[in-house]
Amino acid sequence: GFCDLYLDTFAYNAHSTAKDALWSGVPILALAGEVFASRVAPALVSLLLPGAPALARTPEEYEEIGVRLASNPRMLARLCEEVRQRRWASPVFDAVSWTVQWERALRMQTDLLLAGYLPPANMHVVAAFV
């Protein structure tokens, strides 16, 4: 392919681009931060590849993992193949479950409004696949 490893940016991670990369079979090297914008790509990678070797905890580890993967084509090829295989069963690409959860959240908000309550500022809907 044209790309063997997606080097995610920090502190604003990839969002839909991360899903595109993963769907294309390209693993993502990511570093998670503390806020939503810096946790999306790492969350997607974690759902697709639990225990993934491409999730760094520090900038130094990010560099170390990147060098290790870039200098080991076989390891990188295995990781690419694992991404391609796991995408079919991953909740990351399960549009049906996502839609069910989204509809559930909308119904909860509608029920609250019809009952005369304003929805909470931070409403949390627990997904079935989490």
Side-chain angles (χ1 to χ4, degrees):
F2 294 108
C3 180
D4 296 316
L5 180 63
Y6 184 106
L7 301 175
D8 193 29
T9 56
F10 185 82
Y12 191 90
N13 294 152
H15 291 84
S16 8
T17 307
K19 285 187 81 171
D20 291 341
L22 292 170
W23 183 253
S24 298
V26 178
I28 297 172
L29 173 54
L31 171 63
E34 296 298 320
V35 297
F36 173 79
S38 64
R39 299 192 68 77
V40 175
L44 294 171
V45 172
S46 293
L47 279 171
L48 184 66
L49 298 168
L55 288 177
R57 293 180 299 263
T58 66
E60 295 78 21
E61 189 177 37
Y62 180 94
E63 182 179 350
E64 176 189 314
I65 293 168
V67 169
R68 185 172 62 242
L69 289 172
S71 60
N72 190 335
R74 284 189 200 147
M75 179 190 293
L76 190 53
R78 282 193 306 271
L79 190 57
C80 288
E81 183 57 30
E82 191 174 357
V83 169
R84 283 191 287 278
Q85 292 300 317
R86 289 186 174 219
R87 68 182 174 189
W88 298 106
S90 171
V92 173
F93 300 107
D94 185 350
V96 173
S97 292
W98 184 91
T99 302
V100 167
Q101 297 303 322
W102 178 247
E103 289 172 342
R104 181 175 169 213
L106 292 175
R107 277 193 299 279
M108 288 170 68
Q109 289 182 340
T110 301
D111 290 345
L112 286 170
L113 286 171
L114 291 174
Y117 299 101
L118 292 177
N122 294 313
M123 190 164 138
H124 182 72
V125 178
V126 177
F129 51 80
V130 174

